[in-house]
Amino acid sequence: IYIAEGLGHAYVSLVENSIVTYLCSNTYDANTEGAIYPLDPSIGLTMPESMGEPILSEKDIVAPRLDDLIRDNALPTWEDARTFFRAE
C-alpha cells in the first residue's frame, strides 16, 4: 500500500505475530509524528466484530480525540497541505 507523506493511516492485523514494514521518505523523527485515537467514533473507523477487542499501542491509547485536535487548531488546513505537497 502506498500512503503519501503526511497522510494519516492505520492498519489492523487479524493474525498474531504480524510484521509491518515501512519505507519512509526521511529519517524517523518522533517530533513530526501525529496521532488520533483510532477508536474515536468521530473518525468512523470500524473494526471487524470477529476481531474482538483491539490491542492498541500506548501511543494510540493516549492519542487525542479528533474533537480535541479541532478545538486546539492542531490539524493542518487545506492550504497547509497544498503548500506541503508543492514544496516537494
Side-chain angles (χ1 to χ4, degrees):
I1 299 173
Y2 173 78
I3 302 169
E5 183 177 352
L7 296 179
H9 60 281
Y11 62 88
V12 174
S13 172
L14 300 178
V15 298
E16 292 197 31
N17 299 317
S18 295
I19 297 173
V20 176
T21 303
Y22 288 88
L23 176 63
C24 299
S25 58
N26 210 336
T27 303
Y28 174 74
D29 179 1
N31 294 320
T32 63
E33 195 170 69
I36 297 176
Y37 181 65
L39 301 181
D40 182 344
S42 298
I43 60 175
L45 292 179
T46 57
M47 304 293 172
E49 287 186 28
S50 61
M51 185 177 88
E53 191 66 28
I55 300 169
L56 302 178
S57 68
E58 183 61 28
K59 177 186 161 197
D60 286 339
I61 291 169
V62 301
R65 301 325 193 240
L66 181 59
D67 289 342
D68 297 331
L69 293 168
I70 292 169
R71 180 197 65 222
D72 297 340
N73 291 316
L75 296 173
T77 64
W78 172 244
E79 193 55 42
D80 293 337
R82 290 180 54 177
T83 300
F84 175 83
F85 283 106
R86 285 187 182 147
E88 298 283 311

